[in-house]
Amino acid sequence: MNESNFLAKHLPHTKSKALFERAQLHIPGGVNSPVRAFKSVGGTPIFIKKAKGAYLYDEDGNSYIEYINSWGPMILGHAYQPVVDAIRAKAEDSTSFGAPTELEIQMAELIKKMAPNIDLIRMVNSGTEACMSAVRLARGYTNRNKIIKFEGCYHGHADAFLVKAGSGVATLNIQSVPGVQAHVAQDTLTCAYNDIEGVKNLIASNPNEIAAIIIEPVAGNMGCILPLPGFLKSLRELCTQQGIVLIFDEVMTGFRLARGGAQELYSIDADLITFGKIIGGGLPVGAFGGKRAIMENIAPLGSVYQAGTLSGNPIAMTAGYTLLKELEDNPIIYSELEAKTKTLCDGIQAALKKKGIAHRINQLGSMMSVHFGSHEINNFEDAKTCDNNLFNKFFHHMLSNGVYLPPSAFESWFVSNALSQADIQKTIEVTASFNP
Ligand code: KE4
């Protein structure tokens, strides 16, 4: 990207506005996923023409340093050449067979090499599918019905998860989702993130009824929220004592926080782990895996049925395998990502502090979020009681100056390793020019 184009005053989003009008004629809300609609931040969603490395280019010719990275997959930046080349080559051999391939074995072997504690793994087509399948498996394995999830966590749009969910559900402030039947919601128990006493109380009041506890081991759907010291370890101990399946939803954290994700970072072995985003290299892929004794209940081995026409699709496997292999072969990437993200956070912190703007920044690895409040952000309530109108103003200030943030205070930012020091400094400069 040439610097002058980047520094050019942002053009009006004429084409994006026209495209949004047209999109709304045919697609609910003009988008294929609600969080893209800019509903909470306001304004017109930007229609993207292309992207390369750390930059997005919209239909009006504007360019942006971006911190969404397709909500996680683009950890090495957009149009990463080895991934692009692999997809091109593989497409020549057809795009789908609906039959087993060696590539799926290679993918499973690589995931098992990188992520600990996976005896068996099943590929699916989204994070939602991975999480809903893991919960069905936990229920089938334990012959229990209830699950515990945490307020503000998001595990996809399966009925069982749309209770006090984060991400788009929080962004749109949907209190209860029509269509999710009461009896389904009743089997989903919730408590605050980091509230281990709350978990103990739910277990005590539902003896031998809880099949699984599903958690984002580092939460990314209410902004980025870290587990307090000992929280995950206590969850592990409780699940072991009570025969409850501990499900780590690593759709976001898997292969992002470390090669072995949060399990590696916190040295905690979950019973089932779900993946998504990075493992598809930008193509639709999810996966769930874990302990053999549990996974053996999945059809055709066992009777817990789960299936998918395009599961293990050769193009998606090629994209995901190529990206994972880069991460496996170059572990230095994780310390580079951490250093870049810390530099960014320190710069934003200094800039907002100098302005006297109360804020908190949560960060781990290449996940981070900025919250406009002076209190610690350890759960969904903390995130909700920030000045999120100020976040919306901040979002648009950054956007109009060429920095594209997630369009919601209830999302994590994602740093890609394509980000340069100049990009980081530019982001800090734009933050410093924010005058609410
Ligand atoms: P998908 O079904 O969207 O592939 O994955 C669902 C999911 C499951 N678990 C976690 C921890 C997730 O973050 C997600 C999806 N993440 C959101 C972004 N926060 C997807 C963006 C969107 O809904 O468009």
Side-chain angles (χ1 to χ4, degrees):
M1 172 182 63
N2 80 49
E3 207 52 29
S4 58
N5 169 32
F6 184 81
L7 294 173
K9 189 73 198 114
H10 256 233
L11 305 169
H13 298 132
T14 314
K15 280 194 178 173
S16 280
K17 286 189 170 71
L19 287 169
F20 191 44
E21 290 301 317
R22 200 170 122 212
Q24 292 176 84
L25 298 176
H26 313 293
I27 305 167
V31 292
N32 281 312
S33 198
V35 76
R36 304 174 188 170
F38 278 26
K39 273 279 189 202
S40 68
V41 293
T44 301
I46 306 294
F47 278 66
I48 304 304
K49 188 180 188 74
K50 62 177 183 175
K52 181 68 179 170
Y55 313 121
L56 292 177
Y57 301 88
D58 73 14
E59 289 286 355
D60 290 287
N62 298 306
S63 46
Y64 307 84
I65 301 169
E66 80 119 333
Y67 292 96
I68 301 185
N69 285 296
S70 181
W71 304 98
M74 302 300 164
I75 190 170
L76 299 183
H78 285 282
Y80 187 68
Q81 206 53 52
V83 172
V84 173
D85 295 345
I87 291 170
R88 273 208 188 99
K90 199 70 191 170
E92 297 292 339
D93 301 340
S94 181
T95 51
S96 181
F97 310 115
T101 61
E102 183 184 9
L103 192 51
E104 291 162 88
I105 306 169
Q106 292 165 330
M107 185 68 163
E109 288 168 341
L110 179 56
I111 290 174
K112 285 176 67 172
K113 187 178 172 203
M114 295 175 76
N117 180 41
I118 306 259
D119 297 331
L120 294 174
I121 187 160
R122 169 62 60 87
M123 307 310 294
V124 295
N125 301 283
S126 69
T128 296
E129 219 187 321
C131 293
M132 67 184 244
S133 305
V135 162
R136 178 186 307 141
L137 172 57
R139 285 172 161 155
Y141 175 70
T142 60
N143 196 24
R144 299 176 183 176
N145 296 327
K146 293 181 179 175
I147 64 169
I148 293 175
K149 76 173 284 293
F150 295 87
E151 291 153 18
C153 282
Y154 180 74
H155 306 292
H157 65 87
D159 285 359
F161 303 139
L162 293 177
V163 178
K164 297 182 184 174
S167 187
V169 181
T171 298
L172 298 175
N173 194 23
I174 298 173
Q175 297 306 313
S176 85
V177 177
V180 174
Q181 295 163 301
H183 71 273
V184 170
Q186 278 158 10
D187 278 344
T188 300
L189 312 174
T190 62
C191 70
Y193 198 79
N194 280 315
D195 177 9
I196 198 63
E197 291 310 315
V199 175
K200 288 176 182 170
N201 292 338
L202 286 175
I203 292 174
S205 46
N206 296 274
N208 301 315
E209 291 188 73
I210 297 168
I213 294 178
I214 184 166
I215 187 166
E216 294 178 56
V218 173
N221 287 289
M222 35 184 161
C224 178
I225 293 187
L226 279 57
L228 291 175
F231 176 60
L232 296 176
K233 184 168 178 291
S234 301
L235 274 187
R236 175 65 277 170
E237 287 163 359
L238 276 171
C239 287
T240 304
Q241 288 157 18
Q242 301 288 331
I244 296 171
V245 175
L246 178 58
I247 303 173
F248 269 15
D249 175 354
E250 294 225 46
V251 167
M252 208 181 252
T253 56
F255 311 105
R256 173 165 283 280
L257 294 180
R259 280 181 288 178
Q263 284 194 113
E264 175 187 317
L265 223 53
Y266 291 96
S267 305
I268 301 257
D269 276 358
D271 297 309
L272 293 177
I273 307 96
T274 60
F275 298 108
K277 298 179 190 281
I278 288 174
I279 66 168
L283 273 69
V285 179
F288 64 100
K291 291 187 167 56
R292 180 179 299 277
I294 304 174
M295 287 297 292
E296 281 178 339
N297 291 275
I298 283 286
L301 260 182
S303 307
V304 178
Y305 197 73
Q306 180 280 327
T309 304
L310 296 173
S311 298
N313 170 275
I315 309 303
M317 291 296 100
T318 290
Y321 183 89
T322 305
L323 185 58
L324 289 185
K325 197 75 178 61
E326 291 286 305
L327 298 170
E328 165 65 11
D329 294 347
N330 305 282
I332 185 92
I333 288 170
Y334 291 101
S335 43
E336 290 171 352
L337 280 165
E338 174 90 34
K340 288 177 180 178
T341 312
K342 276 192 181 308
T343 303
L344 178 65
C345 289
D346 293 347
I348 289 174
Q349 183 126 36
L352 293 176
K353 191 173 176 201
K354 194 171 177 189
K355 294 261 173 190
I357 297 173
H359 68 285
R360 286 277 178 157
I361 299 180
N362 285 353
Q363 176 265 330
L364 185 69
S366 55
M367 291 174 66
M368 60 172 281
S369 53
V370 177
H371 301 263
F372 290 103
S374 45
H375 54 285
E376 277 195 24
I377 313 293
N378 291 322
N379 61 36
F380 194 28
E381 276 313 308
D382 294 343
K384 284 195 286 188
T385 49
C386 288
D387 184 347
N388 293 321
N389 287 328
L390 186 53
F391 173 85
N392 298 342
K393 286 182 189 152
F394 179 62
F395 170 83
H396 280 290
H397 168 74
M398 301 300 276
L399 187 73
S400 57
N401 285 281
V403 178
Y404 195 103
L405 305 179
S408 164
F410 302 121
E411 293 291 354
S412 176
W413 303 15
F414 296 100
V415 173
S416 90
N417 210 34
L419 206 65
S420 69
Q421 292 303 326
D423 300 327
I424 293 169
Q425 289 313 315
K426 167 78 183 172
T427 305
I428 294 165
E429 280 162 31
V430 175
T431 302
S433 67
F434 177 46
N435 292 307

